[in-house]
Amino acid sequence: MSSRGLNKWVVSGNLAADAQIKTVQLKSGEEAQVATATLYVQKPRDREGSFTVSLSIWEKSYGWRKLPFLKKGSLIICTGSIEPNPFISSNGNVPKAGLQMTVLDIDLDIIARDEESEETSTDGEFVEGVMATV
């Protein structure tokens, strides 16, 4: 099997905010929906080495099906292709390296839940498919 041209990455982190859905015009003239989000990737024991990845989740990808479950703070694992996306920071006009991922699929690790809809459990049982906080 040849890996020529292969660009497949796996990254895990927490969503910085809920995904935002917008409609875009394609080169073909058709319209498509895309969700954008930011993934915060934290290195263990090294907060300075943490970084963010900008996510694009297109409507016909497997990841699109997981959108209803993506909430701010959710720990997720994304698979997709990555492209560099350099930018100038607003803090000191310093050049920074950025990453843009076109997401193919998303695995849900821990889903952040709304406080209002959360059922209470004090013994650490699974509630609504998610480990309840003790």
Side-chain angles (χ1 to χ4, degrees):
M1 181 173 135
S2 172
S3 62
R4 182 177 159 182
L6 182 64
N7 181 3
K8 186 173 182 180
W9 297 74
V10 177
V11 65
S12 175
N14 295 88
L15 282 178
D18 291 352
Q20 301 294 314
I21 299 173
K22 61 183 178 181
T23 303
V24 295
Q25 189 82 22
L26 301 175
K27 290 179 183 177
S28 65
E30 297 179 36
E31 289 186 343
Q33 287 189 312
V34 62
T36 57
T38 301
L39 189 67
Y40 179 74
V41 181
Q42 186 175 1
K43 283 189 165 183
R45 299 183 213 109
D46 181 17
R47 201 167 193 95
E48 292 295 320
S50 300
F51 60 96
T52 60
V53 178
S54 299
L55 305 176
S56 296
I57 308 160
W58 291 88
E59 67 180 321
K60 293 186 180 179
S61 69
Y62 289 112
W64 185 263
R65 298 182 213 169
K66 312 280 178 49
L67 279 181
F69 305 104
L70 302 183
K71 303 290 180 207
K72 179 180 179 179
S74 295
L75 178 59
I76 61 172
I77 303 164
C78 296
T79 305
S81 60
I82 288 197
E83 297 295 327
N85 186 19
F87 64 95
I88 304 295
S89 73
S90 58
N91 184 10
N93 292 331
V94 179
K96 297 272 188 174
L99 294 174
Q100 172 70 42
M101 175 180 260
T102 302
V103 177
L104 299 173
D105 199 5
I106 298 171
D107 291 310
L108 305 171
D109 197 352
I110 299 174
I111 302 170
R113 299 188 321 191
D114 293 337
E115 297 286 328
E116 297 171 6
S117 65
E118 184 175 310
E119 291 182 23
T120 328
S121 175
T122 57
D123 55 0
E125 293 180 15
F126 276 75
V127 179
E128 296 178 10
V130 184
M131 183 70 167
T133 56
V134 179

